Amino acid sequence: MKKWKHALLAGIAACTVMTATASAASFESTATAMKSMGLFAGTSTGYELDRAPTRAEAATMLVRLLGKTAEAETLWASSKDTFAFRDMDAFDWAQPYVHWLARSGLAAGTSADRFSPADPCTAQMYAAFLMRALGYSEADGDFSFENVLAFARSHGVINDVNCDTKTFLRDHVVAASYTALASAPKSGEADLLTKLVNSGAVSASAASMEQQKFSAYRGYVQTMQPAAEGAALENVTSISVSGGLSLDVAAVSESRLSGNRLSTQSSLTITVPGDDPFVQERTGYYADGRWYTNADGVKTWKPAALDELLQQLALPEAAPLVLLDEIRIGSAEYYLTYSAAGRAYYQEYFKLLAHTLGGTPAMDQLSISGLNAEIRVADGVLSSLSTSVTASGKLSGGTAGTEITMRAQQNSKVSAVGSEVTVNTPDDLSSYTPST
C-alpha cells in the first residue's frame, strides 16, 4: 500500500496545478461573439474551427480587424484590373481584401503574381497580422517576423491558451483575434475594439457587451499583476474522490517570489479509508539556475528555469480572457464565470488526475458540473482568491468502469506583494546532490 501511495503522491504532485494546453479548448462561443460584431463570418458549413486557416482567410480577418472592409471593397471596385495575383480565381471572396493589403504594404504574395491563398497560415504569420492590426510594424522597427511570436506574447496578445504554435487552427485564429480586440493598440485607445467602434467599422450597439467585459477584465488583470511580479502566498488545496474509489488529498503550502528568487514550503497528505494517512513534507528553493528540493530530509537539485517552475506552482495569475464568459465586479471582489472553452480547458486537469488514479491517460464520459472563481481585493491589490472545480466520469484501464466524482478546491491568501516580499534560502545548498 505504501508503494502505491508513493506512486499516487508523485502523480498528484504533477497535477495539483490546473494547467492544460491550447488544444484543450474549442472557442465556438468566442466565434459567435466575433460574428455578432461582423468580425468573423465562418464558412458555408459553419465555423470549421478544427482545421488550419488559409492565407486567404487570415488576410480577410486582418482587414476586418483593421476596420478597412468598406475601404477595401471600394478600392476593389475601382481598381480590380490592377490586381497582381493570378492564382485567386477560386478565392474571389478574398480578392478585395488581399488587393487592399498588398496595395497598403501589409501583406505580400509568395511571388510577384501568386498569393498562394490555399496555403496554411501559420501562428507566426497570424501573430504578425495581429500586431499590424494593433498598429505595430516591421518598418517602424517594432518587431521582426522572426521575433513576432515573442513580441505578441509580451503584449498579451498570444498565450499558451489561445494559440498552439505547432498545430495552428481556425480555433486559435478566433481566440487570438478576440484577445487582440481586448488589447491596447499602439495609437493609445483602451482596446482595439474601441478603436474599431470609433472609426465606425463596428457598431457601438454590437460592441457594447464586449467592451464592458474588456473593461472589467482590465481591472481584474491589474488586480492580479502585483502578485505575479512578486508575492508571498499561502495556499490550501484539497482534492476529494468519491464513488467507486475514495480518497482525500490535502496540500498546504507557502510560496514566496521576489525577482528571480523563489522558495516554497509544503505539506501533502493522502488519506485512504482504512489506512493511516500518508504525509510528505517538502521545501524548495530556486537559486543560480537550480531548483533545490528537500523532501522528507532527502536533499537534491536539478537544473531549472524560473519560468517553468512558476508554471508548476500555484502562484496567482489572471485567467486568459478567452476562457471567461463573464466577469462580475462586486464591492471588493471579482466573480468569474467560465465559458465552455474554460470548462474544456480545465477538464485536462482531471484527465491528468484520473491517469494517476486509474493508471491510464483517459477518463471516459468526463464532465465538469461546477467551475467558479472569486478574487478578493484590498486597497486595489489582490488579497485572496478561491477556485473550485467538480468533475465526474468513469475510470478506464485497470479500474475500468469505476464511476467517480472528483472535487478540487484551492484557496489562496496573499500576505505580501512587490517589494514587501523577502525570500530566504538555507546556508547548506552545497550539501544537496544532483537528482537522478
Side-chain angles (χ1 to χ4, degrees):
M1 181 63 75
K2 191 170 183 179
K3 182 178 180 181
W4 176 82
K5 285 183 179 178
H6 272 292
L8 178 60
L9 179 70
I12 289 176
C15 300
T16 49
V17 182
M18 300 178 187
T19 59
T21 64
S23 59
S26 176
F27 299 103
E28 186 170 349
S29 62
T30 303
T32 299
M34 297 274 290
K35 183 178 181 180
S36 70
M37 294 184 288
L39 296 172
F40 186 73
T43 72
S44 59
T45 58
Y47 293 144
E48 296 187 28
L49 300 180
D50 58 350
R51 68 166 174 83
T54 65
R55 281 170 51 85
E57 290 167 343
T60 301
M61 178 62 84
L62 174 58
V63 173
R64 291 188 182 123
L65 292 176
L66 288 166
K68 299 297 184 180
T69 301
E71 185 175 317
E73 291 170 352
T74 298
L75 176 66
W76 179 251
S78 64
S79 62
K80 66 176 67 177
D81 56 326
T82 64
F83 187 48
F85 305 116
R86 305 294 99 190
D87 60 345
M88 291 196 60
D89 290 346
F91 295 82
D92 55 337
W93 50 269
Q95 288 177 344
Y97 314 116
V98 172
H99 181 53
W100 185 89
L101 288 171
R103 291 278 290 265
S104 301
L106 293 174
T110 54
S111 70
D113 62 354
R114 294 185 63 81
F115 188 74
S116 301
D119 284 1
C121 174
T122 66
Q124 188 176 21
M125 293 177 191
Y126 201 69
F129 279 5
L130 290 179
M131 299 319 294
R132 292 169 192 159
L134 287 165
Y136 299 97
S137 74
E138 297 97 319
D140 292 340
D142 295 321
F143 66 90
S144 67
F145 186 72
E146 289 73 23
N147 75 0
V148 68
L149 283 170
F151 184 73
R153 284 181 182 276
S154 71
H155 284 73
V157 176
I158 294 293
N159 56 55
D160 291 337
V161 171
N162 69 18
C163 180
D164 186 333
T165 57
K166 294 181 179 178
T167 307
F168 188 66
L169 305 175
R170 283 169 57 87
D171 202 31
H172 306 127
V173 165
V174 166
S177 298
Y178 187 79
T179 305
L181 284 175
S183 302
K186 188 178 180 180
S187 50
E189 291 84 353
D191 51 53
L192 178 58
L193 181 55
T194 295
K195 182 177 182 179
L196 293 177
V197 170
N198 291 343
S199 69
V202 176
S203 74
S205 58
S208 176
M209 185 176 298
E210 302 307 318
Q211 285 181 300
Q212 292 177 40
K213 179 180 177 182
F214 293 170
S215 177
Y217 185 75
R218 285 193 293 274
Y220 160 60
V221 170
Q222 186 174 1
T223 294
M224 301 292 287
Q225 189 59 41
E229 295 173 349
L233 188 72
E234 300 169 6
N235 297 306
V236 178
T237 301
S238 63
I239 301 171
S240 65
V241 181
S242 58
L245 182 65
S246 180
L247 63 89
D248 292 287
V249 179
V252 179
S253 66
E254 181 184 30
S255 302
R256 303 181 72 87
L257 171 68
S258 179
N260 62 353
R261 302 181 69 191
L262 170 69
S263 68
T264 65
Q265 182 176 341
S266 65
S267 175
L268 185 64
T269 303
I270 302 173
T271 304
V272 178
D275 207 345
D276 293 334
F278 182 80
V279 180
Q280 183 179 78
E281 305 290 339
R282 180 186 293 262
T283 56
Y285 311 93
Y286 178 78
D288 302 323
R290 293 177 176 179
W291 179 237
Y292 295 87
T293 303
N294 182 343
D296 290 335
V298 179
K299 301 178 180 180
T300 60
W301 66 265
K302 64 180 179 180
L306 182 59
D307 288 346
E308 295 175 357
L309 289 173
L310 295 179
Q311 291 176 5
Q312 299 171 26
L313 298 172
L315 294 174
E317 60 180 3
L321 174 66
V322 290
L323 298 184
L324 304 175
D325 258 349
E326 183 184 13
I327 307 171
R328 291 188 295 111
I329 304 175
S331 58
E333 59 276 320
Y334 291 88
Y335 298 98
L336 309 183
T337 301
Y338 286 83
S339 64
R343 294 191 295 274
Y345 180 80
Y346 283 113
Q347 281 180 7
E348 295 302 300
Y349 162 74
F350 285 97
K351 288 181 180 179
L352 289 171
L353 185 54
H355 171 53
T356 300
L357 299 172
T360 71
M363 183 174 177
D364 299 332
Q365 302 172 6
L366 178 68
S367 64
I368 286 184
S369 56
L371 173 58
N372 59 73
E374 178 181 327
I375 295 89
R376 291 194 171 274
V377 183
D379 298 325
V381 177
L382 173 71
S383 63
S384 66
L385 67 158
S386 174
T387 303
S388 62
V389 190
T390 300
S392 301
K394 292 182 179 180
L395 294 177
S396 51
T399 51
T402 302
E403 295 188 7
I404 66 170
T405 296
M406 293 186 289
R407 296 178 176 86
Q409 175 79 36
Q410 179 176 303
N411 296 301
S412 301
K413 179 182 178 181
V414 179
S415 56
V417 294
S419 59
E420 300 175 1
V421 181
T422 58
V423 177
N424 299 314
T425 55
D427 297 329
D428 66 342
L429 294 184
S430 60
S431 67
Y432 287 57
T433 60
S435 60
T436 57

